[in-house]
Amino acid sequence: MAGSQRVYKARIKSTQSLKKIFRAMELIAASRIGKARDRVADSTPYARAITRAVSAVATHARVSHPLTTPRTDTDAVAVLIVTSDRGMAGAYAASAIRETERLIDHLQSQGKTVRLYVAGRRAVSYYAFRGRELAGQWVGGSDAPTPETAEEIATELLRAFRAPADEGGVAELHVAYTQFVNMVTQTPRVIRLLPLEVVEEVVPAQEGEILPVYDFAPSAEAVLDAILPRYVRTRIFNCLLQAAASELAARQRAMHTATENAEDLIRMYTRLANQARQADITQEISEIVSGADALAAS
């Protein structure tokens, strides 16, 4: 029984060490989530504003432009998935990957060829293990994305969209990420960025309101050339920020749960160790009494 006590004490010690790690990770995530939420709140209005601006240009220009007109020369599509660089965040990465797989199955059922772009080590490892070829990958800083990273991703995806079919061009661009709703809810989401589709509807005109008349200078095509790449960069950066806030919220919640589970294990192992100690004491007393009885009988 003494051996059982040693085993339980070793387990208690190791679980206490894990509890400290879990608690530290929970506090780190909690300290970062506030800034991440602020960045999402700051970037979302601009993303909505530029979406409405692009929608207005596309609606009123009435011109054929490569970024608003579906391509018919290729069936290849680009899919960007945004996940985390590290684990310990519950089902955060798995949910984003699962949503991406559903999108890929849907696109392939339409006869389209999917080219996968990945941001985050978790998804890179997932697809590398399965031997899936990646058209592009970005790792590092998933919980604190920078405008430079968004610029790099957007430039590569726009290059692929503008490239001829025989040079790897794609007809569509989709993004799979996790939308931050609040500290409790983070929702995997898929949006199509190109060809342009209105992600958020423009507020309808009220009764009696006069709709604006747009005049484009130097031309509608030039305006589209300037504003649509900016739109793509802004939307991708907002997706990265939403994913970062979702990752930190999921990690804080997962580490809080892990800390509570570690405390439950410590209590259980402590109870078992005490039971084993009591059993050892009872056995020793029984042996002493049996020895005394044997001496008295002799």
Side-chain angles (χ1 to χ4, degrees):
M1 297 299 291
S4 298
Q5 288 188 60
R6 287 194 295 270
V7 171
Y8 290 135
K9 288 181 179 179
R11 290 181 179 178
I12 290 172
K13 185 177 180 180
S14 62
T15 306
Q16 286 174 336
S17 299
L18 289 174
K19 176 188 171 182
K20 292 179 180 178
I21 296 174
F22 297 151
R23 180 60 177 166
M25 295 186 68
E26 178 188 355
L27 293 176
I28 291 173
S31 67
R32 294 179 178 176
I33 187 63
K35 183 178 180 180
R37 292 171 62 183
D38 291 342
R39 296 183 76 189
V40 171
D42 292 341
S43 69
T44 299
Y46 179 71
R48 290 176 177 171
I50 197 170
T51 298
R52 296 188 179 190
V54 173
S55 300
V57 174
T59 301
H60 297 279
R62 303 186 185 280
V63 296
S64 178
H65 190 276
L67 298 183
T68 58
T69 304
R71 292 179 60 169
T72 58
D73 59 338
T74 178
D75 61 356
V77 297
V79 174
L80 170 66
I81 173 176
V82 182
T83 62
S84 59
D85 288 319
R86 296 183 298 154
M88 311 292 281
Y92 165 75
S95 297
I97 292 174
R98 191 180 307 114
E99 191 70 19
T100 304
E101 289 298 310
R102 280 197 287 263
L103 171 64
I104 292 174
D105 291 341
H106 174 70
L107 293 173
Q108 290 178 340
S109 68
Q110 297 178 343
K112 298 177 180 179
T113 303
V114 176
R115 292 177 184 160
L116 199 58
Y117 296 80
V118 175
R121 286 191 180 92
R122 301 298 293 179
V124 170
S125 300
Y126 175 87
Y127 289 109
F129 179 77
R130 287 157 179 78
R132 181 69 179 269
E133 181 181 356
L134 300 179
Q137 56 181 281
W138 297 268
V139 296
S142 66
D143 58 352
T146 63
E148 290 75 18
T149 301
E151 174 78 22
E152 183 180 344
I153 295 173
T155 299
E156 174 61 24
L157 295 176
L158 283 171
R159 184 205 60 77
F161 186 79
R162 288 167 167 163
D166 56 358
E167 296 181 9
V170 297
E172 298 176 6
L173 168 59
H174 300 262
V175 181
Y177 70 104
T178 305
Q179 182 182 20
F180 179 82
V181 180
N182 52 49
M183 289 297 296
V184 178
T185 306
Q186 300 87 42
T187 307
R189 186 184 180 193
V190 173
I191 59 175
R192 194 186 84 179
L193 291 184
L194 296 175
L196 176 67
E197 65 176 6
V198 179
V199 180
E200 299 168 12
E201 295 182 358
V202 179
V203 177
Q206 301 296 323
E207 184 177 355
E209 180 182 359
I210 300 176
L211 294 176
V213 177
Y214 292 88
D215 187 19
F216 303 101
S219 66
E221 291 84 351
V223 174
L224 286 172
D225 285 338
I227 199 173
L228 280 174
R230 185 183 297 271
Y231 158 79
V232 174
R233 289 193 295 268
T234 301
R235 293 296 298 182
I236 289 178
F237 187 44
N238 184 256
C239 290
L240 295 177
L241 293 177
Q242 295 265 2
S246 299
E247 175 188 347
L248 291 171
R251 180 169 292 117
Q252 180 186 5
R253 189 169 59 253
M255 291 301 96
H256 180 74
T257 302
T259 301
E260 291 182 339
N261 291 340
E263 292 173 348
D264 291 341
L265 283 174
I266 291 171
R267 284 193 291 268
M268 182 186 71
Y269 288 143
T270 301
R271 184 176 66 254
L272 292 174
N274 290 337
Q275 291 176 352
R277 180 171 175 271
Q278 291 172 358
D280 287 343
I281 294 173
T282 302
Q283 183 177 356
E284 290 177 1
I285 293 174
S286 298
E287 291 174 353
I288 292 172
V289 172
S290 298
D293 291 343
L295 290 174
S298 62

